[in-house]
Amino acid sequence: MRVAVHQMTSGVLPAANASEMIGAIEAAAHGGAVMYFAPEMSIMINRRRDEARLHIFEEAQTESIEHIAEAALRNKIWVHLGSIPVVHGAGPQLANRSIVISANGEIIARYDKIHLFDVDLKSGESWRESSAFVGGETPVIVDTPLGRMGLAVCYDMRFPDLFSAYAKAGVDIITLPSAFTVPTGAAHWHALLRARAIESECFVIAAAQCGAHEDGRETYGHSLVVDPWGEVVLDMGSTPGLAFVDLNLDKIAEVRQQIPVHQNRRAIAEPRFYE
């Protein structure tokens, strides 16, 4: 199964980013991909929240979603939108939402990022995602042409309980669209994504933002596809573009037969403390 991974340097204008994505979706379909993957905040990256808020609406009123769904239908390709900001419920808070669109142009799955990025880095960068966004509550699995797909976003990758739940449910693919900072990316990106693939014995597809953005932030890039053995089968480096990779889905069963962690897994009790 061929997939297309889009590494972006998204700007502050949703229409321009959506136009780039639609062109990449068309190129992905022409290149034989059955599914296209975009990064976190594919539609817009703008740390100036008052300015960004002017372009964020409820999902049903977000024109970019409609245009991308039309492109999926027109090109008969599945689309993973990465994630986009949408108004959550009655507002004013937002959700960082992953959306999966079928080749019929229908939205078939939604996942709101559960773990919010509230950190102070040694580099001096400070992020408070929870000041604007509300975290999701529920993991989401969706059937796709690639198999059962578990959805997650960026900072989620640091919380193994989420991926243990996906592993127990027998997912074949985990998606992790991201906009990783450069310091944390250099330190942990490859290690964490390989770990998530190895422990779940599934493919991990992580489309990423890269480079210097219009709002002044910089992201790490290195969109990855990792196979169930933990081997990196695609690393897109630090420049934007569209890349293709052919997934050997038989590798999932081969690895699970070789190291049967799913059969060997045991329920873990609460730890016993000795004083």
Side-chain angles (χ1 to χ4, degrees):
M1 287 282 191
R2 174 166 288 189
V3 300
V5 180
H6 191 187
Q7 184 157 284
M8 300 180 68
T9 309
S10 293
V12 299
L13 297 177
N17 298 317
S19 178
E20 178 186 339
M21 293 169 69
I22 289 168
I25 289 166
E26 293 171 351
H30 293 158
V34 298
M35 195 163 185
Y36 158 92
F37 294 86
E40 181 182 23
M41 292 294 168
S42 55
I43 295 297
M44 179 179 59
I45 283 187
N46 190 349
R47 68 198 304 178
R48 298 182 290 272
R49 286 181 172 169
D50 289 345
E51 180 180 303
R53 191 63 180 77
L54 300 174
H55 300 284
I56 303 174
F57 308 97
E58 293 182 13
E59 181 184 308
Q61 279 72 53
T62 303
E63 292 184 357
S64 296
I65 299 175
E66 180 181 352
H67 296 328
I68 289 169
E70 290 170 354
L73 174 61
R74 187 167 59 250
N75 291 280
K76 300 299 179 187
I77 185 173
W78 284 63
V79 169
H80 188 305
L81 213 79
S83 80
I84 65 171
V86 296
V87 173
H88 181 270
Q93 283 191 299
L94 312 175
N96 186 345
R97 181 167 296 169
S98 273
I99 293 176
V100 177
I101 302 169
S102 75
N104 293 325
E106 299 174 352
I107 294 175
I108 61 166
R110 298 170 177 85
Y111 165 81
D112 290 351
K113 182 180 181 182
I114 292 174
H115 301 97
L116 301 179
F117 191 55
D118 289 357
V119 301
D120 298 298
L121 301 176
K122 283 186 176 181
S123 65
E125 294 178 66
S126 182
W127 301 95
R128 290 292 180 271
E129 195 172 15
S130 64
S131 67
F133 290 84
V134 58
E137 299 290 338
T138 308
V140 173
I141 297 171
V142 58
D143 283 323
T144 75
L146 304 175
R148 304 185 79 190
M149 182 177 291
L151 307 183
V153 176
C154 199
Y155 192 49
D156 280 333
M157 74 177 66
R158 293 184 181 273
F159 300 89
D161 285 355
L162 174 60
F163 302 97
S164 178
Y166 283 145
K168 291 174 183 177
V171 298
D172 305 300
I173 308 282
I174 289 170
T175 59
L176 274 158
S178 298
F180 242 60
T181 68
V182 172
T184 57
H188 299 147
W189 175 253
H190 289 76
L192 285 170
L193 289 172
R194 293 187 66 210
R196 299 292 83 93
I198 292 166
E199 68 195 8
S200 302
E201 295 185 334
C202 70
F203 282 93
V204 168
I205 300 175
Q209 295 281 352
C210 72
H213 298 264
E214 286 180 276
D215 71 343
R217 84 176 70 187
E218 189 173 358
T219 50
Y220 181 64
H222 292 274
S223 296
L224 295 185
V225 176
V226 186
D227 77 8
W229 192 247
E231 294 181 352
V232 175
V233 295
L234 175 69
D235 183 335
M236 294 184 66
S238 57
T239 57
L242 186 71
F244 294 88
V245 61
D246 293 311
L247 304 184
N248 176 11
L249 299 179
D250 292 337
K251 189 75 174 284
I252 299 169
E254 292 173 8
V255 170
R256 291 178 182 178
Q257 184 176 16
Q258 187 171 355
I259 303 179
V261 295
H262 295 282
Q263 290 91 327
N264 298 155
R265 190 186 305 276
R266 298 184 61 188
I268 304 298
E270 289 293 319
R272 178 184 299 171
F273 289 94
Y274 288 92
E275 295 183 358

